Amino acid sequence: MVHSGEEVGGKIGNPVNLDSKAVAAAAGSAAQKENLNVNAVKEPPRNQYQKREEANASMSNVTLGDNCLTMPIDSLSPYQNKWTIKARITTKSNIRSWSNAKGEGKLFSFDMCDESGEIRATAFRDQVDKFYDMLEVDKVYYISKCQLKAANKQYSKLNNDYEMTLTGETVIQECLDATQIPAIKYNFVPIGDIANMEAGAIVDVIAVCKEAGDLVNLTSKAGRDLTKREVTLIDKSSAAITLTLWADDAKNFAGFEQPVLLVKNAKIGEFGGGKTLGTTVGSVLKLNPDIDEGHKLRGWYDNGGVQGDVKLLSSRTTGNSSTQWMTFNEAKLKNLGAGDKADYYQVQGFIHNVRSTNAYYKACLLYTSPSPRD
């Protein structure tokens, strides 16, 4: 109370005396409404299906703001399903299809990280259509209501015991505030060092795309139609290597003007005694990335950085790659072919003799089984 009635000394507003009949009428009206509510027809009970549909409808309208509480990735557990994470997409695979006795469908997976760790998520069927175009590598998103399960270490090398599966209840929303979420980390390996690394290892590489081959269509041993493109990469280590792009990476490649190419999660292969690189499901390609390493490499190459001999780590299997030209005498003086691994070079000459002896071999004679009389 600010002031007492005696201090005010007058009426506040225009008060009206309440008639006793009006009080009784108001009380009767309230009682009548209460009776109507009591005697009203009760709402029929909803079955379990209706409740689930209503829950899904409400979840589809859920929005995640920058003020929502989030959990770190390394705190997620299958025993707790009410959580939201704030993570950066580090890799995103292409859409793949499958067909087996149980049916057919499609899927894609993506990796994400925050300041605490990293985790992989996979989307199937309808969720592919819903989220594939929405998710972009290097952007930050709020993600909630995914199913957590034990990670399959055969397909995922991430340092996490769990992985996610997107469901019909999953909510994903882009986060415009990317603070406290680390940028994608790269562990670049010079091309020259790949020669001493084991086949099957996963590396990050940044180099100049010196040459790009044509698109090639082929059929695998399993009968699948494949598409690939081979490009030649070169960096400051004065070494070059062949990188094989597959599927959409090969079809959509636009690096024909010697751009700087960043490849995250490239797989080292071995063929013909040399080393190669290839893209995998988790590989990420970036043309002319806006990072310090990319700018330095661009300046090095444009200012005549490629001088002298370049060591090609890959064997020459197509017209895309280039080996050093030399004469037979130069190859002999360099003692090529004397080591444990094969050496490759190009030579131009003319044929002065063709051996006719043992130039071919005869096929096996047609075998006919002896008759029962023989």
Side-chain angles (χ1 to χ4, degrees):
M1 181 179 293
V2 179
H3 301 286
S4 64
E6 296 178 353
E7 293 176 341
V8 174
K11 297 180 180 180
I12 300 177
N14 299 309
V16 179
N17 291 330
L18 188 61
D19 189 1
S20 59
K21 293 182 179 181
V23 174
S29 177
Q32 185 178 5
K33 289 182 179 180
E34 184 177 357
N35 292 334
L36 288 175
N37 292 335
V38 172
N39 297 326
V41 179
K42 294 183 178 181
E43 180 183 357
R46 294 168 296 169
N47 57 35
Q48 187 175 5
Y49 175 78
Q50 290 173 323
K51 292 180 180 179
R52 185 170 67 250
E53 289 297 310
E54 291 178 3
N56 291 341
S58 63
M59 288 176 183
S60 63
N61 297 323
V62 173
T63 57
L64 304 174
D66 290 336
N67 294 324
C68 70
L69 296 177
T70 59
M71 290 183 60
I73 287 177
D74 64 357
S75 298
L76 296 178
S77 169
Y79 307 104
Q80 183 180 9
N81 55 10
K82 293 183 179 180
W83 47 262
T84 299
I85 63 170
K86 178 181 176 182
R88 185 185 302 276
I89 306 297
T90 56
T91 65
K92 186 180 79 167
S93 72
N94 295 321
I95 297 176
R96 293 172 290 161
S97 302
W98 85 87
S99 179
N100 53 35
K102 296 181 180 179
E104 58 184 18
K106 55 187 176 181
L107 65 90
F108 82 95
S109 60
F110 58 95
D111 299 339
M112 47 192 164
C113 72
D114 64 6
E115 65 277 7
S116 70
E118 54 187 353
I119 195 170
R120 171 165 295 179
T122 304
F124 296 89
R125 294 190 173 92
D126 294 342
Q127 310 313 315
V128 175
D129 299 330
K130 184 176 181 181
F131 293 113
Y132 185 80
D133 293 333
M134 170 187 174
L135 297 174
E136 297 183 24
V137 174
D138 211 16
K139 286 190 175 182
V140 178
Y141 296 88
Y142 291 110
I143 301 177
S144 66
K145 301 186 184 300
C146 295
Q147 179 185 358
L148 277 175
K149 63 178 183 179
N152 189 340
K153 294 300 183 180
Q154 182 180 357
Y155 301 104
S156 176
K157 303 300 182 182
L158 299 183
N159 184 23
N160 198 318
D161 294 332
Y162 301 111
E163 60 186 12
M164 294 181 180
T165 300
L166 275 59
T167 69
E169 300 178 357
T170 297
V171 179
I172 300 179
Q173 181 178 333
E174 184 178 355
C175 171
L176 302 179
D177 180 14
T179 57
Q180 299 181 349
I181 302 298
I184 298 178
K185 296 180 180 179
Y186 302 103
N187 185 20
F188 294 121
V189 175
I191 292 178
D193 294 350
I194 296 178
N196 301 320
M197 299 180 68
E198 295 291 333
I202 303 297
V203 295
D204 298 341
V205 173
I206 186 168
V208 175
C209 178
K210 185 179 180 182
E211 297 176 0
D214 297 329
L215 200 63
V216 178
N217 296 316
L218 64 154
T219 303
S220 67
K221 294 181 180 179
R224 292 189 304 160
D225 294 331
L226 302 176
T227 304
K228 75 171 184 177
R229 187 194 303 272
E230 292 185 350
V231 301
T232 302
L233 304 181
I234 187 171
D235 68 0
K236 294 182 180 181
S237 63
S238 296
I241 193 169
T242 298
L243 168 70
T244 303
L245 309 176
W246 296 96
D248 290 342
D249 290 334
K251 296 177 183 178
N252 302 328
F253 184 73
F256 298 97
E257 297 181 355
Q258 297 183 330
V260 174
L261 179 61
L262 184 156
V263 187
K264 182 174 177 60
N265 295 336
K267 186 176 182 179
I268 298 177
E270 192 167 8
F271 180 77
K275 294 294 175 62
T276 62
L277 290 176
T279 56
T280 64
V281 174
S283 297
V284 176
L285 275 67
K286 291 186 177 182
L287 289 178
N288 297 318
D290 187 14
I291 58 176
D292 291 341
E293 292 86 348
H295 299 318
K296 292 177 181 178
L297 194 60
R298 178 80 275 162
W300 166 80
Y301 188 82
D302 291 344
N303 288 283
V306 183
Q307 297 178 356
D309 296 339
V310 176
K311 181 181 180 182
L312 181 66
L313 304 187
S314 307
S315 59
R316 190 173 185 271
T317 57
T318 67
N320 303 333
S321 306
S322 60
T323 52
Q324 185 178 359
W325 289 90
M326 62 180 67
T327 64
F328 291 128
N329 186 53
E330 290 173 336
K332 182 178 180 180
L333 293 175
K334 291 187 176 183
N335 204 27
L336 297 185
D340 296 333
K341 297 182 179 180
D343 296 316
Y344 298 87
Y345 66 97
Q346 298 183 83
V347 63
Q348 184 176 8
F350 61 91
I351 300 173
H352 66 86
N353 182 33
V354 177
R355 294 181 56 184
S356 59
T357 306
N358 298 330
Y360 60 90
Y361 63 91
K362 295 181 179 180
C364 297
L365 296 175
L366 180 64
Y367 176 78
T368 57
S369 60
S371 64
R373 297 179 181 179
D374 295 340

